[in-house]
Amino acid sequence: MRHRQNPEQSKHVTLLRRLFGSAEPDPREALRPLYNQIVAQARQPHWYLAGAVPDTVNGRFEMVSALLALVLIRLEDEPTQAQAMAYLTEIFVDDMDAQLREFGVGDMVVGKRIGKLLGAFGGRLGAYREALADSAAADMLADALRRNLYADATPSNAQLDHVATELRRLCAVLKPVQAADLASGAAKW
């Protein structure tokens, strides 16, 4: 028979976990290697040179968002990866939260900014999912990239084609990768 804690004991256990940390590992950490791959991929110079993605805080956020979207789109094909997708999104949110705080955004504003970023990310995920689902929909992907990735910048057709081609290439690379290998970070892409 399982022992039940009374509410007073539970309160003390919660306080001790906050003070000393939980003995249980954070299950999200298993996805940290994959998130690090996404960020490393987003830092590749070709996006900013050949693709002319603005090398700004917003441009880098958009590049991480685009690559995270590719990974989430791939993981959506596997119902067993729903928890991994949620954890990966949480890591992304935590990272964006930390970045905002590092830039000096105050506590009162961070929550609102994160909420807006998450809403924006959801829209981008939908736009990229739709555009990448149909390889003939080159205009859809170009429009999504102009609207999201470039915002106020105006890329040349060659620059836009570079980014669209690379995103489609990565999408094709991710497609045959076993979802468990991708989620664990074992697959190199």
Side-chain angles (χ1 to χ4, degrees):
M1 185 168 174
R2 196 177 147 157
H3 175 69
R4 296 181 113 170
Q5 291 180 334
N6 70 38
E8 193 62 31
Q9 285 176 319
S10 180
K11 193 170 24 171
H12 292 296
V13 169
T14 301
L15 177 62
L16 290 172
R17 281 190 180 147
R18 281 190 189 156
L19 290 173
F20 300 107
S22 174
E24 299 172 20
D26 184 348
R28 297 179 303 174
E29 287 307 307
L31 289 147
R32 183 69 60 184
L34 174 57
Y35 185 74
N36 290 343
Q37 285 180 343
I38 292 167
V39 171
Q41 209 37 265
R43 289 181 177 164
Q44 293 294 314
H46 73 91
W47 300 115
Y48 307 95
L49 298 173
V53 171
D55 193 9
T56 62
V57 172
N58 286 341
R60 285 177 257 145
F61 164 79
E62 292 296 346
M63 204 60 244
V64 171
S65 295
L67 294 168
L68 175 61
L70 292 184
V71 170
L72 292 177
I73 289 165
R74 168 58 190 95
L75 292 176
E76 284 175 343
D77 292 341
E78 307 284 335
T80 60
Q81 296 299 317
Q83 188 64 63
M85 292 170 58
Y87 287 156
L88 192 57
T89 304
E90 288 175 13
I91 292 169
F92 172 67
V93 169
D94 288 349
D95 186 33
M96 294 304 109
D97 181 273
Q99 297 298 324
L100 285 173
R101 291 177 192 281
E102 191 173 302
F103 289 128
V105 177
D107 287 341
M108 298 294 284
V109 179
V110 168
K112 290 179 184 177
R113 297 280 292 279
I114 292 295
K116 286 182 181 180
L117 289 175
L118 209 58
F121 176 71
R124 284 153 177 75
L125 177 60
Y128 293 137
R129 180 188 300 115
E130 187 177 347
L132 291 166
D134 182 2
S135 61
D139 288 344
M140 286 176 62
L141 183 55
D143 289 344
L145 292 172
R146 273 190 205 96
R147 191 174 52 251
N148 300 311
L149 195 60
Y150 292 102
D152 298 329
T154 306
S156 70
N157 287 337
Q159 293 164 333
L160 188 59
D161 286 345
H162 173 79
V163 172
T165 299
E166 283 299 304
L167 289 177
R168 286 192 188 285
R169 184 188 67 76
L170 286 172
C171 203
V173 166
L174 292 173
K175 189 173 181 116
V177 174
Q178 293 293 317
D181 290 340
L182 180 61
S184 72
K188 302 299 178 215
W189 50 282

